[in-house]
Amino acid sequence: RKLAVYDKVVRTIIDKPLLQEVKPLFIFNGTGYKKFKGQKPLAHGLGYQQGAVSLAKGSTLYFEFTMYKSDSISTVTALAPNHPVEGTKIRYTIQLDNEPAITIDYATQGRSEEWKQNVLTNRAIRTTKHFIAKPGKYTIKITAMDEGVLVDQVKIVAE
């Protein structure tokens, strides 16, 4: 029948090493917050390590970590995929200490390709960059701006 599925596999030789995954400096599950402000976050056993929390509108989670050198970092926030509860937005803010807060909207429209990927991987990923001025203790604050924000994990990655 000469279908492509029955063709021999083309052999490929790679002369460069594959990209190595960057290991995070810190990984926090949603339930690993140090403190909260507003309504107490609810854990439902969701998420990659059953540590995702539902954050009520206006409530804040605080995650603390210590950096031993000054550097730039990225925060990789994994949220459970969700459609907006009210309106067309599902937003949260993320802030490192007293830096200006960064507002992130992770709403998807209908059955977009991003929505499909989020459901297949069971997470919506958003990355922000922050600057560490000096070694010491730092706090990441995540505040729900809308209902329906489910924080699964926060990873701190050195740049």
Side-chain angles (χ1 to χ4, degrees), residues 8 33 43 61 84 95:
K8 288 187 175 183
Y33 60 88
L61 296 177
Q95 183 179 18

Side-chain angles (χ1 to χ4, degrees), residues 84-155:
V85 175
E86 304 166 340
T88 59
K89 297 179 180 180
I90 184 163
R91 301 168 299 164
Y92 69 93
T93 62
I94 187 163
Q95 183 179 18
L96 177 69
D97 283 348
N98 294 319
E99 280 185 354
I102 301 168
T103 301
I104 307 290
D105 182 2
Y106 71 102
T108 56
Q109 303 304 315
R111 293 178 164 269
S112 67
E113 192 58 34
E114 181 184 3
W115 171 254
K116 292 175 189 175
Q117 290 302 315
N118 289 351
V119 171
L120 284 173
T121 60
N122 196 30
R123 39 179 48 183
I125 304 285
R126 294 297 183 265
T127 303
T128 55
K129 295 187 185 284
H130 307 275
F131 180 68
I132 301 293
K134 61 182 180 180
K137 198 172 201 176
Y138 287 88
T139 303
I140 293 281
K141 303 171 199 166
I142 296 178
T143 303
M145 302 299 290
D146 298 300
E147 291 295 337
V149 175
L150 287 135
V151 179
D152 183 9
Q153 287 184 329
V154 179
K155 296 179 183 179

Side-chain angles (χ1 to χ4, degrees), residues 3 7 9-11 26 36 38 40-41 46-47 49-51 66 83 96 107 114 121 136 143 146 152:
L3 296 172
D7 290 346
V9 176
V10 177
R11 188 175 202 158
F26 305 95
F36 69 91
K40 182 172 181 165
L46 300 173
Q49 296 178 335
Q50 290 77 41
T66 302
H83 284 298
L96 177 69
E114 181 184 3
T121 60
T143 303
D146 298 300
D152 183 9

